[in-house]
Amino acid sequence: MRTLTIEGLSREMVALRASKEIHDGTYVNLGIGIPTIVSNWIEGRDVILQAEIGMLKTGPLATGDQIDQDLINASCEPVTELSGACYFDIVESMSIIRGGHVDLAILGAFQVSEKGDFASWLNPDRGYPHGVGNIGGSMDLAVGAKRVIITMEHTAGNRPKIVKECTYPLTARGVVDLIITDLAVIQVTPHGLVLKEGYPGLTTDEIQAVTGARLTVAQDFKEIDL
Amino acid sequence: MRTLTIEGLSREMVALRASKEIHDGTYVNLGIGIPTIVSNWIEGRDVILQAEIGMLKTGPLATGDQIDQDLINASCEPVTELSGACYFDIVESMSIIRGGHVDLAILGAFQVSEKGDFASWLNPDRGYPHGVGNIGGSMDLAVGAKRVIITMEHTAGNRPKIVKECTYPLTARGVVDLIITDLAVIQVTPHGLVLKEGYPGLTTDEIQAVTGARLTVAQDFKEIDL
Amino acid sequence: MNKVYPSPDEAVSDIPSGAVVALGGFFTCGTPTYLTKALARLGVQDLTIIIQSFGVGATEVNELVENRQVKKVIGNYPFYRSAERGAQHLFEQLVRFGKIAVEVYPMGTFVEKMRAGGTGIAAFYTPTGAGTLVAEGKETRIFNGREHVLETALKPDFALVHAWKGDTEGNLMYRKTARNYNAVMAMSAKVTVAEVEQLVNPGEINPDCVHTPGIYVQRVVKVDRLNITPSAG
Amino acid sequence: MNKVYPSPDEAVSDIPSGAVVALGGFFTCGTPTYLTKALARLGVQDLTIIIQSFGVGATEVNELVENRQVKKVIGNYPFYRSAERGAQHLFEQLVRFGKIAVEVYPMGTFVEKMRAGGTGIAAFYTPTGAGTLVAEGKETRIFNGREHVLETALKPDFALVHAWKGDTEGNLMYRKTARNYNAVMAMSAKVTVAEVEQLVNPGEINPDCVHTPGIYVQRVVKVDRLNITPSAG
């Protein structure tokens, strides 16, 4: 058995893999972190981005003269608007999200469980009072989007982030459809986790070894398809 | 004792009396019937009319070239807009009404009780199935407006419309503040109805005789103040 | 993301019998005339129609009644104000004889139920209707000393709405009081079809003035502006 | 109906200690900078502040913390994303040591609670937060096979909001994503004070493009447009 010191996919490549899950003609919300990078891979495609702050058709990050202080994304970065954009308030934005109008949300997470629960908003290590953390739009996206994909590192140091039961406070229960990490693509099914794709050269046993929940290997298991 | 064949105030005069309850600098919603006529008496005053259909600063009825098919009131009459008007959808319109943002609603009724209940939306004589009638915005205005004034004929034929208990299906319970009829102005208080003003020449006993609930005569009872 | 359909008939062609269909408009104002006529031509049956008002104004709605396509109406102001006119009206006759079921709600509850359907809220407590026939058979509860009625979400299968301006991706703008029920029905339905008087390209509507974000709208049809005389019939 | 106040200080002068005050804005975008500074100058204490975020962006909000005017915060994203930066931030330190109470809600619940306060709905059932810490101590109920959490209305005493354009009667228009929380806070509060970059006469805003109808706004103050560099701190 070899030691796993493998690099895995870069964040950019994880985002690229995630971008392949986006169908043309759909509305997508991208969370903070790796999901934000996904936007670089869909420029020019027939995909409309929704932003929590109250916008449809968010364009790429604004630079130089494009920067408008009244036009930011949920990470407070200046962005641009594409032709046909529209603005609305956060009540409407949350109606769009919670009401099931967004086709796909791609989010980050601390942990994902084999049941499709995930935890993303409260790191207990920060030591805040009970139940206090940065929720943002994550819980609404989790319950409202028609499909939820989590993109994240496969492990935090040596600790698996894909687990049997989340130990961090949950964002939502049973909502994750697909997990895309630097090492694998894993589908959440009613029968547990199915390993669909792996990092080139890694065996399924090696992936299982860094995963905290049991993986069933898909019949069509293959190398991650970029 | 004389027979009451008195005419009482015309609908226009009832509306005029009601208009005196409107304070400058307030937002007012006027119902169908006599309340609609009130708008004639407040032209030029610093009062803003709210319309259920989704408008602030409704102006007088439109005539001739002013008529715009996209600009009507809740009675489907073409109206005009005053400078500074704005439009919104009916969800927002009902937020304004139910949310307590309207200072005064002037509405019509079939019956008003001594407790301030009133009935205005379902005439059982029309013979519809149980609970089916034209509600419109009446129930929302009744519970939402900061002050509710009912303008109506004092009686329907010989039948009192001001009663101990409403026999018609209620619009709302305990919400009426003031009743203005062709014969009297009556305040609803926690201790019952107080007769404040009467039609010139009518005695308080004569008004009591055509009223189905007990009236307390106000110490400052006077002729209707037009 | 081109959502333009070539005709009203094609835009409503998959509405099945038994569907729940919301029709925008307030009396004669902002009604989806072309789409409603297309629905009448389609001839599907057993429809549940969500609409402010049946008797008054928009005659094309009555085609649905004359064709016996309507099983049930959910609305707010179903009848003519005048009892005499109402008595002569086919819709009211069918209601009286139990051929069409009618469910009425206070205006605020009516729209809030649809908004709840569109916004993913299952139910809400409103003070409107407490202590009246509207509350019959419903749960009530005291909040802040005041009785409230529990009302649940209403989510139409389809909404047919009328807008003044729309772009090819479904962003809509309404004109004056023609906005009325159209906006909430558009956000509420599973499939929203909008007829628009002016069809424009993305970017031609001021992004700060869009009333219905395109994400709520699945289909757009260009229609001519009709000349309508406002009238409560 | 002239609602114009001569200065931010005069427009907030009656906010008492212990008041519940909502502050619009999302990080650095659309924040009521002038009104917040005026509230800091006013020096009232024991405030409950309703705001998206404390740590990030808008520094004038931190003046309220430095002055020890804040008893409690109700929000959605209170802290810096970076633990290191947060640890150095007075607000987070005060929270950690229990000097400022914090109540957080999912974004949709946070705004829906305020909307409920403004629209006269006492409470609502949302699927968001079900099965999480957010639902602790709250009633839950199954609708359509899915667990929902009962959340109640939140009605601030005052809202301080920032708008791009406002007329003297309080009709407001926001610009791009600066609309964010401002609209719902304006409709929710008992008293709403708006600072506006452009103060115009009634009729100078397109009536179809008003975002906040004037009926929700009690006071309007003209302020200069600031030059802000968007930054999450």
Side-chain angles (χ1 to χ4, degrees), chain B:
Chain B
M1 196 173 167
R2 10 172 229 164
T3 314
L4 270 174
T5 50
I6 216 154
E7 273 289 322
L9 295 181
S10 66
R11 291 159 60 85
E12 283 67 25
M13 290 300 108
V14 174
L16 173 60
R17 176 62 189 82
S19 73
K20 295 189 180 302
E21 296 295 322
I22 300 177
H23 301 298
D24 278 351
T26 59
Y27 291 89
V28 178
N29 184 295
L30 301 175
I32 288 167
I34 297 175
T36 303
I37 308 172
V38 174
S39 62
N40 297 340
W41 296 109
I42 56 171
E43 272 180 41
R45 281 186 54 193
D46 186 22
V47 170
I48 290 183
L49 295 182
Q50 194 266 3
E52 276 109 309
I53 191 172
M55 180 179 191
L56 280 181
K57 294 198 87 169
T58 305
L61 290 180
T63 53
D65 286 352
Q66 291 176 323
I67 293 174
D68 181 332
Q69 67 196 42
D70 292 333
L71 179 44
I72 65 169
N73 64 17
S75 301
C76 201
E77 296 162 327
V79 292
T80 52
E81 69 179 33
L82 300 179
S83 189
C86 66
Y87 299 99
F88 32 84
D89 83 324
I90 296 190
V91 173
E92 189 81 77
S93 184
M94 291 298 124
S95 290
I96 287 171
I97 289 173
R98 189 185 47 223
H101 304 278
V102 172
D103 295 300
L104 172 64
I106 304 181
L107 305 171
F110 298 132
Q111 295 179 321
V112 184
S113 87
E114 61 182 6
K115 299 190 198 74
D117 303 347
F118 78 106
S120 66
W121 67 283
L122 199 165
N123 180 347
D125 299 342
R126 280 185 76 168
Y128 296 126
H130 180 73
V132 173
N134 287 343
I135 306 180
S138 61
M139 289 192 185
D140 297 289
L141 283 161
V143 304
K146 289 180 191 152
R147 189 165 183 238
V148 174
I149 295 177
I150 299 292
T151 56
M152 62 180 188
E153 313 292 317
H154 202 90
T155 61
N158 287 325
R159 220 165 12 139
K161 297 179 69 174
I162 300 169
V163 294
K164 233 178 128 47
E165 287 279 358
C166 294
T167 54
Y168 281 37
L170 291 183
T171 303
R173 291 185 189 271
V175 297
V176 177
D177 294 287
L178 193 72
I179 310 165
I180 301 176
T181 76
D182 50 336
L183 302 184
V185 177
I186 296 168
Q187 199 179 347
V188 183
T189 78
H191 311 294
L193 302 177
V194 176
L195 179 59
K196 303 283 286 181
E197 301 173 24
Y199 185 76
L202 276 187
T203 67
T204 59
D205 284 348
E206 284 167 334
I207 294 169
Q208 177 67 75
V210 292
T211 305
R214 196 170 153 276
L215 300 175
T216 304
V217 180
Q219 291 203 322
D220 58 350
F221 174 79
K222 60 180 178 184
E223 287 189 355
I224 291 179
D225 184 20
L226 290 178

Side-chain angles (χ1 to χ4, degrees), chain A residues 32-33 51-55 58 67-79 81 86-95 97-98 118 121-123 125-145 169-173 175, chain D residues 26-30 52 56 76-87 92 95-96 102-109 111-112 115 124 126-134 136 146-147 164 175-181 183-184 197 225-232:
Chain A
I32 288 167
E52 277 108 309
I53 191 172
M55 181 179 190
T58 304
I67 292 174
D68 180 332
Q69 67 195 44
D70 293 333
L71 180 44
I72 65 168
N73 64 17
S75 302
C76 201
E77 297 163 326
V79 292
E81 69 178 35
C86 66
Y87 299 99
F88 32 84
D89 84 323
I90 296 189
V91 173
E92 189 81 78
S93 184
M94 292 298 125
S95 290
I97 289 173
R98 188 184 47 222
F118 77 106
W121 66 283
L122 198 165
N123 180 347
D125 300 341
R126 280 187 76 168
Y128 296 126
H130 180 72
V132 172
N134 288 342
I135 306 180
S138 61
M139 289 192 184
D140 297 288
L141 283 160
V143 304
L170 292 183
T171 303
R173 290 184 189 273
V175 297
Chain D
F26 194 114
F27 297 141
T28 56
C29 186
Q52 147 83 7
V56 185
N76 164 256
Y77 200 94
F79 305 128
Y80 277 90
R81 201 172 304 148
S82 147
E84 294 77 44
R85 298 213 49 170
E92 294 197 30
V95 170
R96 236 178 264 279
V102 177
E103 212 173 283
V104 292
Y105 292 96
M107 194 179 289
T109 304
V111 292
E112 195 70 9
R115 178 186 179 271
F124 56 91
T126 176
T128 305
T132 78
L133 283 186
V134 166
E136 269 191 357
R146 197 174 187 196
E147 194 177 22
W164 175 56
R175 192 168 168 275
K176 301 187 185 281
T177 57
R179 197 180 320 181
N180 58 64
Y181 291 101
V184 70
E197 296 177 15
R225 181 172 169 90
L226 294 169
N227 278 315
I228 295 164
T229 305
S231 157

